[in-house]
Amino acid sequence: MAPGRHSAIVRIWCSCCNIAQKALRDFNSYFRHAVFLPSFAGALLYLTVLSFGAQMVTWLLAAGYSSAQIAITRTLSVIFEVLATWVAPWLMGRVGPIRAGLWFSNWQIVCLGAGLSVFWRHADYSFISAAGLVGGTIFSRIGLRGFELCAELIIQEVSWLSEHL
């Protein structure tokens, strides 16, 4: 191997090691930060929530829903998400962002649980079963967006305090 080529490989290797070390330091800082839990919970929320994405739309079409009915359910879902932008600040003003976030996450769990219950209970009737899942998903959007707003407020408040104190 040529000497110039060997030094290039060493430089690339050292650069990769430096990047990996910086990433590990950044992860360590994130995991030790005061707002790690609300931040991580918000990220997990998007992994666990049902949505009106391509798979859901395809499944609803297969279950017998028309395109117009799906459009209506998606519109209702967005309306409930927007509603959360009014409900969340009101509730946070009354009980605080931490308690409101807990209430919103519980709301989401209850709505999705109810939707799944209808889904499983009426599995033989695809239209009814899908309606239960869709209804639970629509109502859960208040919890999703409300929790997200609470978590963001907590993160911003703690970050502001840590910078200014």
Side-chain angles (χ1 to χ4, degrees):
M1 184 180 304
R5 182 171 166 91
H6 184 267
S7 64
I9 292 172
V10 169
R11 277 194 315 270
I12 291 171
W13 176 255
C14 289
S15 177
C16 289
C17 288
N18 289 337
I19 290 169
Q21 287 174 348
K22 182 179 179 339
L24 288 174
R25 283 192 306 270
D26 290 344
F27 276 117
N28 188 33
S29 173
Y30 174 64
F31 291 134
R32 292 180 185 271
H33 199 276
V35 292
F36 165 71
L37 286 178
S39 171
F40 193 66
L44 286 178
L45 190 62
Y46 285 96
L47 295 175
T48 60
V49 72
L50 294 171
S51 67
F52 289 95
Q55 289 90 353
M56 175 78 102
V57 170
T58 303
W59 178 72
L60 290 172
L61 288 169
Y65 278 76
S66 69
S67 295
Q69 290 169 322
I70 294 171
I72 290 168
T73 60
R74 291 181 82 174
T75 302
L76 286 172
S77 177
V78 170
I79 288 169
F80 276 85
E81 287 183 42
V82 171
L83 179 63
T85 64
W86 286 303
V87 173
W90 174 80
L91 189 59
M92 284 188 277
R94 292 219 175 291
V95 299
I98 293 173
R99 182 170 285 155
L102 292 171
W103 287 6
F104 281 123
S105 64
N106 286 328
W107 172 264
Q108 183 177 10
I109 290 168
V110 166
C111 290
L112 290 175
L116 284 173
S117 296
V118 172
F119 174 76
W120 284 322
R121 175 75 174 98
H122 300 286
D124 296 338
Y125 307 101
S126 64
F127 196 84
I128 295 171
S129 130
L133 197 58
V134 165
T137 302
I138 288 172
F139 285 111
S140 77
R141 304 312 271 187
I142 292 175
L144 170 73
R145 294 292 174 226
F147 178 85
E148 179 181 39
L149 290 170
C150 292
E152 286 301 320
L153 181 67
I154 293 167
I155 292 166
Q156 289 172 4
E157 284 179 348
V158 170
S159 295
W160 186 89
L161 285 173
S162 67
E163 289 176 9
H164 292 87
L165 293 181

